[in-house]
Amino acid sequence: MSTVPVGELACQKDSFAREITTTVNKCEKTKAGFDVVLCDTVLFPEGGGQPSDIGTLNDVPVSFVRREGVTAVHQTKQPLEVGTEVKVAVDWKRRFDNMQQHSGQHLITAVADTEFGYPTIGWHLGDLTSTYIELGNAKSLNPEKMAQIEARVNALIQLGTPVNTRTFAGPDELKKEFPDARSRGLPTGWEGALRVIEIQGVDINMCCGTHITNLSQLQAVKLLNVELKGEKGKLFFVVGDRVLQLFQIMHQNTQNLTRTLSIGYVQHPETVANLKTNYTKLQKSHKSILLELAQTTASSLLAGLTQQQKDTAVFYHRDGGGMEFLNVILAAFGEKYPEVVVVLTCVESGTVQFVVGGPADKVKEIGPKIAEAVGGRGGGKGKYQGKGTNVKNATKLEALLFPGSPPTG
């Protein structure tokens, strides 16, 4: 049986079709599983910036649908017998989300370009807050302009503006009726029908994707932020159900913050800013105190240095402090006793940090042994430092390196 080409698939003729019954035309084994070609499908193959649909062929999951020329190829982990009938069902929640974001992109693109002078360069359909349109001439795209675009877009949604899908046999037929249709060019190797998505009175755009039939189905559009780089800007947005999802997350976060801070949400920005300022001050104070403690610790270790430690090594361990703390102690030994091997360790957030100092030959010998003992790695010039995950061994290094010798500490 013949295979319906991409451009005229069931999912493109009716974006709201959730399942059809069709026939398996081809099934070939691949490294990833099986490539299945059907007579027709409601599973959209990735294209036009829109991700592939996922769904099932009977009970067999379809993980991806790609376009090869004008053929939709379904990727599965199980084979399907050629000639058998299958029920093709789409993951509707994912599909409708893609439709809302894609149609929303068309609408924002049209308004941003024709009414505000920001042409679309490209777009990306990502997760909840990572979907964006890349615009040109975007230096002037400030919060005020974004609010104007958003208001215009939502006004068109409230009007219930129709969205029509038209199919043409080729470029000549399309140009006769829609000579000014937007297009970023046809995919490499494209042959066959061309589709146009018309937002009545607003936009005409060549597109292979699945779209809503009326702007009211978008519900609402929220422009989030813009990331400017030179003349270009990435305009992040959410459409439809994503607006509600994002609002619910933000509302829950606001409630949690209100309970934690015991203040109203209006006071959140000022209170959090004050907390951040105070936290920064505390961090600086903590660092200063910690370095003073490191210097005191170094003085204590130097004052109590024994001949046995000079002959073997000085071992010191503490919980917390960090590498900067250890390096203060190491520097003190380096100034007074550069010939003494010093092994310093600390544990922070379940990770062992270590540094070894002293004569180069000794450091080269002992450093890798320390790294191995704490289940990590290290390196460096003039000293050997690194990290590991074996917290238990951090306090046993002296016994591991010098078994049978009495503790030096």
Side-chain angles (χ1 to χ4, degrees):
M1 294 182 67
S2 61
T3 297
V4 174
V6 175
E8 301 177 55
L9 300 173
C11 59
Q12 294 172 305
K13 290 180 178 177
D14 179 6
S15 297
F16 286 84
R18 302 189 187 196
E19 60 181 51
I20 61 168
T21 299
T22 187
T23 305
V24 177
N25 272 356
K26 185 188 293 185
C27 180
E28 295 181 345
K29 186 171 176 55
T30 67
K31 291 181 179 179
F34 295 87
D35 281 350
V36 179
V37 176
L38 308 172
C39 286
D40 201 353
T41 185
V42 288
L43 301 183
F44 176 73
E46 182 181 54
Q50 182 174 322
S52 155
D53 280 339
I54 59 174
T56 55
L57 307 181
N58 290 340
D59 295 324
V60 176
V62 176
S63 59
F64 185 75
V65 188
R66 70 181 187 277
R67 180 185 64 83
E68 288 189 0
V70 291
T71 301
V73 181
H74 307 69
Q75 294 182 5
T76 68
K77 291 294 185 183
Q78 298 171 239
L80 290 146
E81 188 177 344
V82 174
T84 59
E85 279 196 347
V86 290
K87 183 173 80 172
V88 188
V90 66
D91 179 330
W92 177 248
K93 184 177 180 181
R94 173 188 167 95
R95 154 71 74 74
F96 189 62
D97 175 59
N98 287 343
M99 286 167 60
Q100 285 189 318
Q101 308 318 306
H102 198 167
S103 296
Q105 175 265 315
H106 277 226
L107 178 58
I108 298 167
T109 284
V111 171
D113 186 6
T114 59
E115 299 187 29
F116 293 87
Y118 302 122
T120 288
I121 299 169
W123 83 295
H124 168 72
L125 204 172
D127 59 20
L128 185 57
T129 57
S130 66
T131 294
Y132 64 83
I133 301 170
E134 187 170 20
L135 301 173
N137 304 329
K139 275 189 174 181
S140 64
L141 185 53
N142 55 29
E144 183 181 354
K145 288 286 179 66
M146 285 175 60
Q148 292 172 4
I149 295 171
E150 181 178 289
R152 175 61 176 147
V153 163
N154 282 298
L156 290 167
I157 292 172
Q158 291 164 15
L159 288 173
T161 306
V163 178
N164 305 311
T165 300
R166 299 280 301 278
T167 303
F168 296 90
D172 293 339
E173 184 184 342
L174 186 152
K175 286 179 182 177
K176 284 180 184 178
E177 189 161 349
F178 296 117
D180 299 322
R182 295 177 192 276
S183 173
R184 288 194 289 152
L186 293 171
T188 303
W190 182 264
E191 299 175 359
L194 302 176
R195 296 172 75 245
V196 167
I197 309 302
E198 178 193 16
I199 303 175
Q200 205 168 91
V202 179
D203 187 50
I204 300 168
N205 199 330
M206 285 178 58
C207 184
C208 63
T210 55
H211 290 272
I212 45 87
T213 57
N214 190 290
L215 289 187
S216 63
Q217 293 158 355
L218 297 183
Q219 300 168 282
V221 168
K222 179 62 186 172
L223 304 185
L224 302 177
N225 61 285
V226 62
E227 293 181 359
L228 296 173
K229 188 175 182 180
E231 294 290 333
K232 299 178 182 179
K234 290 181 179 179
L235 180 61
F236 291 82
F237 67 94
V238 286
V239 182
D241 290 344
R242 290 195 182 192
V243 176
L244 299 177
Q245 291 172 37
L246 185 58
F247 177 81
Q248 181 58 38
I249 292 169
M250 296 174 73
H251 179 61
Q252 189 62 56
N253 288 344
T254 299
Q255 284 188 313
N256 292 340
L257 204 53
T258 296
R259 282 193 291 267
T260 301
L261 300 175
S262 299
I263 57 171
Y265 72 90
V266 175
Q267 299 166 282
H268 286 179
E270 182 182 356
T271 303
V272 171
N274 290 337
L275 286 171
K276 184 179 179 182
T277 299
N278 292 336
Y279 179 68
T280 301
K281 290 178 180 178
L282 285 171
Q283 279 186 311
K284 289 180 180 178
S285 178
H286 176 263
K287 182 178 180 180
S288 177
I289 292 170
L290 197 63
L291 292 179
E292 287 180 18
L293 177 61
Q295 291 167 353
T296 302
T297 302
S299 298
S300 177
L301 290 171
L302 287 166
L305 190 65
T306 66
Q307 187 60 47
Q308 184 183 345
Q309 288 175 318
K310 291 179 180 180
D311 294 339
T312 55
V314 175
F315 288 86
Y316 174 79
H317 173 81
R318 68 171 276 120
D319 290 328
M323 191 60 75
E324 190 170 7
F325 182 95
L326 300 182
N327 278 320
V328 168
I329 299 174
L330 188 65
F333 271 88
E335 288 179 9
K336 196 164 185 180
Y337 294 106
E339 74 281 5
V340 174
V341 176
V342 184
V343 179
L344 308 173
T345 59
C346 70
V347 174
E348 284 203 322
S349 303
T351 299
V352 181
Q353 298 185 44
F354 66 88
V355 61
V356 182
D361 58 334
K362 293 290 185 181
V363 170
K364 187 177 180 180
E365 176 190 351
I366 294 175
K369 293 180 179 178
I370 299 294
E372 183 181 359
V374 299
R377 60 178 62 184
K381 291 184 178 180
K383 60 183 177 181
Y384 190 98
Q385 68 180 44
K387 296 180 179 180
T389 56
N390 192 331
V391 176
K392 289 182 179 180
N393 277 354
T395 58
K396 303 175 183 178
L397 295 176
E398 186 174 1
L400 289 171
L401 261 70
F402 302 103
S405 297
T408 61

mmCIF file of all heavy atoms in Angstrom, residues 17 20 50 62 69 76 102 224 241 262 363 383:
data_model
loop_
_atom_site.group_PDB
_atom_site.id
_atom_site.type_symbol
_atom_site.label_atom_id
_atom_site.label_comp_id
_atom_site.label_asym_id
_atom_site.label_seq_id
_atom_site.Cartn_x
_atom_site.Cartn_y
_atom_site.Cartn_z
ATOM 1 N N ALA A 17 -6.617 15.226 15.685
ATOM 2 C CA ALA A 17 -6.806 13.772 15.588
ATOM 3 C C ALA A 17 -5.849 13.082 16.557
ATOM 4 O O ALA A 17 -4.637 13.305 16.495
ATOM 5 C CB ALA A 17 -6.546 13.300 14.160
ATOM 6 N N ILE A 20 -5.571 6.941 14.816
ATOM 7 C CA ILE A 20 -6.131 6.394 13.583
ATOM 8 C C ILE A 20 -5.751 4.923 13.509
ATOM 9 O O ILE A 20 -4.839 4.471 14.200
ATOM 10 C CB ILE A 20 -5.617 7.103 12.305
ATOM 11 C CG1 ILE A 20 -4.093 6.945 12.182
ATOM 12 C CG2 ILE A 20 -6.046 8.541 12.249
ATOM 13 C CD1 ILE A 20 -3.550 7.348 10.814
ATOM 14 N N GLN A 50 9.494 22.148 15.643
ATOM 15 C CA GLN A 50 8.603 21.414 16.548
ATOM 16 C C GLN A 50 9.147 20.014 16.801
ATOM 17 O O GLN A 50 9.487 19.295 15.874
ATOM 18 C CB GLN A 50 7.194 21.324 15.955
ATOM 19 C CG GLN A 50 6.187 20.623 16.863
ATOM 20 C CD GLN A 50 4.769 20.679 16.317
ATOM 21 O OE1 GLN A 50 4.357 21.677 15.755
ATOM 22 N NE2 GLN A 50 4.016 19.596 16.468
ATOM 23 N N VAL A 62 6.369 4.404 20.640
ATOM 24 C CA VAL A 62 7.158 5.102 19.619
ATOM 25 C C VAL A 62 7.908 6.216 20.324
ATOM 26 O O VAL A 62 7.298 7.114 20.910
ATOM 27 C CB VAL A 62 6.260 5.683 18.515
ATOM 28 C CG1 VAL A 62 7.099 6.487 17.514
ATOM 29 C CG2 VAL A 62 5.502 4.567 17.808
ATOM 30 N N GLY A 69 13.174 12.373 3.560
ATOM 31 C CA GLY A 69 12.519 12.851 2.353
ATOM 32 C C GLY A 69 11.125 13.313 2.708
ATOM 33 O O GLY A 69 10.947 14.260 3.471
ATOM 34 N N THR A 76 10.900 2.372 17.077
ATOM 35 C CA THR A 76 10.355 1.524 18.130
ATOM 36 C C THR A 76 11.429 0.555 18.620
ATOM 37 O O THR A 76 12.468 0.393 17.990
ATOM 38 C CB THR A 76 9.147 0.709 17.628
ATOM 39 O OG1 THR A 76 9.613 -0.260 16.671
ATOM 40 C CG2 THR A 76 8.092 1.588 16.993
ATOM 41 N N HIS A 102 3.857 26.267 19.480
ATOM 42 C CA HIS A 102 4.201 26.527 18.082
ATOM 43 C C HIS A 102 3.292 27.599 17.476
ATOM 44 O O HIS A 102 3.764 28.552 16.840
ATOM 45 C CB HIS A 102 4.121 25.233 17.270
ATOM 46 C CG HIS A 102 4.848 25.307 15.958
ATOM 47 N ND1 HIS A 102 5.124 24.200 15.189
ATOM 48 C CD2 HIS A 102 5.353 26.359 15.261
ATOM 49 C CE1 HIS A 102 5.761 24.558 14.101
ATOM 50 N NE2 HIS A 102 5.906 25.873 14.114
ATOM 51 N N LEU A 224 8.221 36.340 29.064
ATOM 52 C CA LEU A 224 8.936 36.228 30.339
ATOM 53 C C LEU A 224 10.099 37.207 30.469
ATOM 54 O O LEU A 224 10.167 37.994 31.401
ATOM 55 C CB LEU A 224 9.442 34.791 30.517
ATOM 56 C CG LEU A 224 8.368 33.698 30.491
ATOM 57 C CD1 LEU A 224 9.014 32.325 30.615
ATOM 58 C CD2 LEU A 224 7.347 33.906 31.591
ATOM 59 N N ASP A 241 -1.499 26.248 28.536
ATOM 60 C CA ASP A 241 -1.399 25.494 29.784
ATOM 61 C C ASP A 241 -0.097 25.790 30.524
ATOM 62 O O ASP A 241 -0.037 25.691 31.751
ATOM 63 C CB ASP A 241 -1.504 23.988 29.508
ATOM 64 C CG ASP A 241 -2.907 23.573 29.080
ATOM 65 O OD1 ASP A 241 -3.842 24.369 29.299
ATOM 66 O OD2 ASP A 241 -3.065 22.466 28.523
ATOM 67 N N SER A 262 7.419 34.979 57.248
ATOM 68 C CA SER A 262 6.336 35.559 58.076
ATOM 69 C C SER A 262 6.037 37.001 57.679
ATOM 70 O O SER A 262 5.838 37.880 58.528
ATOM 71 C CB SER A 262 6.711 35.487 59.571
ATOM 72 O OG SER A 262 6.880 34.155 59.979
ATOM 73 N N VAL A 363 56.861 14.909 48.273
ATOM 74 C CA VAL A 363 55.501 15.261 47.837
ATOM 75 C C VAL A 363 55.080 14.372 46.669
ATOM 76 O O VAL A 363 53.949 13.871 46.618
ATOM 77 C CB VAL A 363 55.415 16.756 47.440
ATOM 78 C CG1 VAL A 363 54.079 17.060 46.764
ATOM 79 C CG2 VAL A 363 55.607 17.632 48.664
ATOM 80 N N LYS A 383 53.292 21.574 45.343
ATOM 81 C CA LYS A 383 52.472 20.887 46.346
ATOM 82 C C LYS A 383 51.539 19.946 45.596
ATOM 83 O O LYS A 383 51.398 20.026 44.374
ATOM 84 C CB LYS A 383 51.669 21.887 47.181
ATOM 85 C CG LYS A 383 50.715 22.755 46.373
ATOM 86 C CD LYS A 383 50.011 23.771 47.258
ATOM 87 C CE LYS A 383 49.104 24.676 46.423
ATOM 88 N NZ LYS A 383 48.425 25.693 47.254
#
